[in-house]
Amino acid sequence: MSINDKLKSLGITLPPVATPAAAYVPFVRTGNLVFLSGHIAKKDGKPWVGQLGGAIGTEEGKQAARAIAIDLLGTLQAAIGDLNKVKRIVKVMSLVNSTPTFTEQHVVTNGASEFFAEVFGPEKGAHARSAFGVAQIPMGACVEIELIAEVE
């Protein structure tokens, strides 16, 4: 099954690349690696605002991370033209807007990691990753994720 067919079966339409909010580009390709800039969580087209361990719980955080993963695939598709060219999701870095006592950043990040495995399969979708708790993310977003992919 192609990646586009897989996304259709999940009821997912990829969004267009978002316009950067500062002085950076959405992606950079060097050789067979594509580096995607951090994408913040959005809900209804606006920043998904809140702090994990405060107004947002772990399960909602996972939903936000999954939403970011969908946005990341939209950017990756724009970068390479066809998601079937993805050889592997290499690395995910997740920043979780957290209260000082929140310790489930890794569980929140699973929302993205599990989505990549679902779309690309257990080998291509499995990746190295880091998940950090941070005091704030631009625009007050609850989660920000960046991605590195190996492509043909």
Side-chain angles (χ1 to χ4, degrees), residues 1-12 82-86 115-122 124 152:
M1 177 183 289
S2 77
I3 300 302
N4 287 335
D5 289 341
K6 180 66 176 179
L7 292 170
K8 283 180 189 172
S9 76
L10 295 170
I12 294 171
D82 180 0
L83 291 176
N84 292 301
K85 293 180 181 178
V86 173
F115 176 75
F116 293 134
E118 183 178 12
V119 171
F120 293 104
K124 287 183 179 182
E152 295 176 1

Side-chain angles (χ1 to χ4, degrees), residues 88-91 113 116-117 120-128:
R88 178 149 205 177
I89 302 300
V90 176
K91 173 81 188 242
S113 295
F116 293 134
F120 293 104
E123 291 195 23
K124 287 183 179 182
H127 51 271

Side-chain angles (χ1 to χ4, degrees), residues 79-147:
I80 63 173
D82 180 0
L83 291 176
N84 292 301
K85 293 180 181 178
V86 173
K87 292 175 79 174
R88 178 149 205 177
I89 302 300
V90 176
K91 173 81 188 242
V92 167
M93 188 183 78
S94 174
L95 304 171
V96 180
N97 183 349
S98 307
T99 63
T101 58
F102 185 78
T103 60
E104 294 188 328
Q105 291 84 1
H106 61 295
V107 179
V108 168
T109 305
N110 282 346
S113 295
E114 291 166 359
F115 176 75
F116 293 134
E118 183 178 12
V119 171
F120 293 104
E123 291 195 23
K124 287 183 179 182
H127 51 271
R129 79 170 201 201
S130 301
F132 299 95
V134 297
Q136 195 53 264
I137 292 175
M139 294 178 261
C142 58
V143 182
E144 179 176 354
I145 300 175
E146 64 179 47
L147 175 106

Side-chain angles (χ1 to χ4, degrees), residues 52-53 56-64 102 104-108:
L52 277 289
I56 297 181
T58 302
E59 285 307 310
E60 186 178 353
K62 280 184 74 173
Q63 293 171 13
F102 185 78
E104 294 188 328
Q105 291 84 1
H106 61 295
V107 179
V108 168

Side-chain angles (χ1 to χ4, degrees), residues 29-34 87 149-152:
R29 182 172 180 168
T30 182
N32 63 343
L33 294 177
V34 179
K87 292 175 79 174
E150 180 185 13
V151 299
E152 295 176 1

